[in-house]
Amino acid sequence: MIKIFVICLVFISSLSARQNPFFPSKNETDIPFSTNKVLIIEPLKRATITLPSTARTLESVTITYKNLDGSLVSIKESLGNSVDWHLPIFVSQNIGGDEKKHTSKAVLKVNKKIRKIASLPFISLYANKNQIKIITKDTLLRNFLLTKPHRIVCDFKRDISIRSYEKVPKIVSAVKRVRFGNHKNYYRVVIELDGHYKYKLNNTKNTYLINLL
């Protein structure tokens, strides 16, 4: 009897056992298992998207989200609205938040009224957000756009000798700086812009109005 009991003990001790019976063994790889561990994800407060200076129309917005089962789904909202690339675009769930606090100070300072940005005795330049006004009795010979950086060049007829002159506007506008240069029988005004634009020029008596597009 004792001999049979010892043999049973040896047989039981030789059996392999898993350390944790609640997880599958190595041979049970096809059996899924779950965990009670909770992933802590930071809640959405605000995401900011900055557009390049070439942007003019926001055609659509696409949001991709993850479901409870881990699958990804994208939803697209068609818009077709004009946008000001100076202003950032916000994605937010901060209900009642004050967007003005997060708006660029430079944008808030953009002047609605047109103000003088540079002048010489025979010419004055004014600007605001999207307009440039040039007041002079001199005849405009030509105007064209150059890139890298984007700048509008205007040549005015006048036989005069002046030194090269540069002016950085104190107000915030689409104009970064203005340069004057002397040439034979004309002088050149170079208006450097803060981004990519097209422009349309209209003139009346002694006034040239440039609309940035």
Side-chain angles (χ1 to χ4, degrees):
M1 184 69 182
I2 295 176
K3 185 176 180 180
I4 294 173
F5 178 75
V6 172
I7 292 173
C8 289
L9 268 177
V10 172
F11 177 75
I12 292 172
S13 63
S14 64
L15 295 176
S16 61
R18 288 178 289 165
Q19 294 181 350
N20 191 339
F22 295 100
F23 284 88
S25 66
K26 293 181 180 180
N27 295 327
E28 296 174 333
T29 55
D30 59 334
I31 301 177
F33 64 93
S34 61
T35 175
N36 290 328
K37 185 178 180 181
V38 178
L39 295 176
I40 300 176
I41 300 176
E42 185 72 20
L44 173 65
K45 294 181 180 178
R46 185 188 311 274
T48 304
I49 302 172
T50 303
L51 298 174
S53 64
T54 53
R56 291 297 181 273
T57 305
L58 191 63
E59 294 295 333
S60 64
V61 173
T62 302
I63 295 178
T64 302
Y65 62 90
K66 181 182 288 187
N67 290 308
L68 290 173
D69 61 3
S71 61
L72 297 178
V73 177
S74 295
I75 55 175
K76 180 178 179 180
E77 180 71 21
S78 297
L79 299 174
N81 299 109
S82 63
V83 289
D84 183 349
W85 62 268
H86 295 89
L87 297 171
I89 294 175
F90 296 109
V91 178
S92 174
Q93 283 194 319
N94 184 19
I95 300 176
D98 187 359
E99 299 292 347
K100 292 183 179 179
K101 293 180 180 180
H102 302 274
T103 305
S104 169
K105 292 182 179 179
V107 172
L108 293 176
K109 291 181 180 178
V110 172
N111 294 275
K112 294 182 179 179
K113 294 183 178 180
I114 197 161
R115 294 177 59 184
K116 183 182 287 189
I117 57 171
S119 65
L120 289 174
F122 44 85
I123 188 171
S124 296
L125 278 79
Y126 299 78
N128 63 3
K129 186 177 180 182
N130 291 314
Q131 284 188 333
I132 303 167
K133 182 186 290 185
I134 304 174
I135 298 178
T136 181
K137 294 181 180 180
D138 300 331
T139 302
L140 179 63
L141 299 175
R142 66 189 68 87
N143 64 96
F144 50 92
L145 182 69
L146 296 176
T147 60
K148 297 182 181 181
H150 265 61
R151 57 201 187 275
I152 299 172
V153 179
C154 298
D155 292 337
F156 293 92
K157 184 177 180 180
R158 179 178 282 262
D159 189 8
I160 192 173
S161 179
I162 59 172
R163 291 184 178 181
S164 296
Y165 171 70
E166 181 176 303
K167 178 72 173 181
V168 177
K170 293 182 180 180
I171 67 169
V172 178
S173 69
V175 179
K176 289 184 65 176
R177 62 175 53 84
V178 180
R179 298 194 299 273
F180 298 90
N182 188 56
H183 297 268
K184 185 178 180 181
N185 298 325
Y186 72 93
Y187 63 93
R188 173 163 291 181
V189 180
V190 179
I191 305 169
E192 186 176 331
L193 306 173
D194 66 347
H196 292 67
Y197 295 93
K198 295 179 180 179
Y199 76 95
K200 184 177 181 180
L201 188 146
N202 297 302
N203 68 294
T204 57
K205 186 178 180 180
N206 300 333
T207 301
Y208 298 90
L209 184 62
I210 298 173
N211 290 295
L212 301 176
L213 307 172

